[in-house]
Amino acid sequence: MTSPSTPFAPPPGARARRLRTARGEFAVVDSPVATGAEPRGVALLLPGFTGSKEDFHPLHEPLAARGYRTVAVDGRGQNETDGPADDEAPYAQEELARDVLAQAAALGVPVHLVGHSMGGQIARAAVLLDHSPFRSLTLVASGPAQISESQQQRVKLLHDALAVMTMPEVWQAILAMGPPEEVGGPARGFGELAALRMRWLNHKPAQLLVTGRQLLVEPNRVAELAAVPLPFHVLSGARDDTWPVTVLDDMAVALGARRTVVPGAEHSPNLDQPLPTAHALADFWDDIPNGDSRHH
C-alpha cells in the first residue's frame, strides 16, 4: 500500500490500493465519484510503455466531478505491480490482455476502457479476446500498428542497453538522451526526478524488453477491431512523434470512432492538457446509453 509520504501518493479524493483479481494483485489508484455527483460509470485506465498509473493522476478529479469512478492500474511488472524480473513469458501481449480482463472482472461492472500508447494496444488485445466486460474503448495516443521509425530506434537502443546494463545505468543513459516519447517520456511527467527514477527502477527489465519488442512488430488489427460492437474513441494531442496524427485520424475513420484532438498536447494529453482530455472522455461516455454497445 502506498503511504502519503511516498512519491506515488494519489491525488485528493483517490486512494492507492491493491486490486485482487483471478490473475493476481495489481497496484491501482482508485478514485470514487465526487460527493454530490450522479454516478455515471467506471473507467479502467492503462498506462503506456515505461509509464504507470500515476500518468493519470490529473484526470481523476475532473472525471470524478462528472460522475465517473476511475481506476488507473500498474500492469504486470510496471512500477508497483510485481512481476518476474527475468522470465519473459508473463509479459506477452495476450497475457497482459488477460490481466486486463481479470481487472475488469474484479471491478464487477462493465467498464469504459482507456489505454494510453502501448496501453491502448494492450486494451485492444483485451477487447479482441472478449469485449463483453467493456462499455467502450478509448485509445489515447495509441496507433494502429508499430511505432514510428524514430521511436523504433529509441526502443531498440533501450533494448540493447537493458541487455548489458543495470536498470540504474540505463536510467542515466536515458537522462543523457533526453526525454523521448516512448523511452523516458516520464521525464515530462507526474513528479520530481527522484520519483521518476524510483518508478523506472521499480519496472521489471523483462517487462520492458518484451513490451518494447512488441511495439516494434505490432500488427495492424484495426479491421479486426472495427468488427467489435463497441463505441470507440480515438484521442490524441495535436502533435505526436510516436504515431503521426494523420495515422490516428485514418484509424478513427476506419473504426467509425469519435475523434478528439487536444490542442496544446503531444503524446501524453493526459499530462499535457488534462482538463480538456478529461472533458473529452466524459463527453464521449455521457453519450453512451446504459447497456448500449453499438457504434456511434
Side-chain angles (χ1 to χ4, degrees), residues 149-161:
E149 183 61 34
S150 64
Q151 293 303 314
Q152 286 186 42
Q153 295 307 313
R154 293 182 183 275
V155 172
K156 288 172 183 174
L157 282 172
L158 175 63
H159 188 278
D160 292 346

Side-chain angles (χ1 to χ4, degrees), residues 66 68 112 135-138 231-233 257-258 260 279-288 296:
R66 291 286 295 268
Y68 291 97
H112 297 290
R135 293 185 62 195
S136 70
L137 172 62
T138 298
F232 299 124
H233 185 192
R258 179 172 296 196
T260 299
H279 291 322
L281 290 169
D283 289 347
F284 170 60
W285 297 334
D286 283 353
D287 287 343
I288 302 170
H296 289 288

Side-chain angles (χ1 to χ4, degrees), residues 123-172:
R124 176 173 75 176
V127 165
L128 289 172
L129 283 172
D130 181 6
H131 71 271
S132 65
F134 307 113
R135 293 185 62 195
S136 70
L137 172 62
T138 298
L139 302 173
V140 177
S142 185
Q146 73 272 15
I147 55 178
S148 67
E149 183 61 34
S150 64
Q151 293 303 314
Q152 286 186 42
Q153 295 307 313
R154 293 182 183 275
V155 172
K156 288 172 183 174
L157 282 172
L158 175 63
H159 188 278
D160 292 346
L162 286 168
V164 296
M165 300 165 70
T166 66
M167 289 291 281
E169 289 169 341
V170 176
W171 174 253
Q172 291 304 315

Side-chain angles (χ1 to χ4, degrees), residues 193-256:
L193 199 60
L196 299 170
R197 180 179 184 274
M198 183 182 298
R199 170 166 75 173
W200 169 260
L201 296 178
N202 283 347
H203 272 71
K204 297 298 185 285
Q207 190 267 356
L208 294 168
L209 287 167
V210 176
T211 56
R213 285 198 299 267
Q214 185 68 38
L215 287 168
L216 304 178
V217 300
E218 178 72 17
N220 189 322
R221 304 183 74 185
V222 172
E224 192 180 350
L225 184 63
V228 175
L230 281 181
F232 299 124
H233 185 192
V234 174
L235 185 150
S236 75
R239 180 178 176 276
D240 198 308
D241 289 340
T242 305
W243 288 278
V245 170
T246 53
V247 170
L248 302 177
D249 292 340
D250 292 343
M251 181 178 72
V253 171
L255 291 173

Side-chain angles (χ1 to χ4, degrees), residues 5-210:
S5 62
T6 74
F8 305 121
R15 68 186 181 108
R17 68 181 185 94
R18 315 297 294 186
L19 180 66
R20 295 180 179 175
T21 81
R23 290 175 63 86
E25 292 191 355
F26 295 86
V28 302
V29 169
D30 192 337
S31 177
V33 174
T35 303
E38 177 189 352
R40 297 190 60 86
V42 180
L44 179 63
L45 314 177
L46 312 181
F49 185 59
T50 76
S52 68
K53 60 191 182 303
E54 286 75 22
D55 293 334
F56 298 109
H57 273 9
L59 299 185
H60 290 295
E61 199 166 6
L63 288 173
R66 291 286 295 268
Y68 291 97
R69 174 188 173 195
T70 46
V71 181
V73 61
D74 284 337
R76 184 181 301 274
Q78 282 183 318
N79 196 22
E80 296 186 307
T81 294
D82 200 13
D86 302 314
D87 181 9
E88 296 190 355
Y91 302 115
Q93 188 184 76
E94 182 174 334
E95 294 301 311
L96 300 181
R98 292 191 183 281
D99 287 346
V100 174
L101 294 173
Q103 293 155 11
L107 293 174
V109 294
V111 300
H112 297 290
L113 186 59
V114 178
H116 173 239
S117 195
M118 182 194 79
Q121 296 193 332
I122 294 169
R124 176 173 75 176
V127 165
L128 289 172
L129 283 172
D130 181 6
H131 71 271
S132 65
F134 307 113
R135 293 185 62 195
S136 70
L137 172 62
T138 298
L139 302 173
V140 177
S142 185
Q146 73 272 15
I147 55 178
S148 67
E149 183 61 34
S150 64
Q151 293 303 314
Q152 286 186 42
Q153 295 307 313
R154 293 182 183 275
V155 172
K156 288 172 183 174
L157 282 172
L158 175 63
H159 188 278
D160 292 346
L162 286 168
V164 296
M165 300 165 70
T166 66
M167 289 291 281
E169 289 169 341
V170 176
W171 174 253
Q172 291 304 315
I174 287 173
L175 292 184
M177 283 169 53
E181 296 290 1
E182 279 290 330
V183 183
R188 283 185 19 254
F190 66 87
E192 298 300 323
L193 199 60
L196 299 170
R197 180 179 184 274
M198 183 182 298
R199 170 166 75 173
W200 169 260
L201 296 178
N202 283 347
H203 272 71
K204 297 298 185 285
Q207 190 267 356
L208 294 168
L209 287 167
V210 176

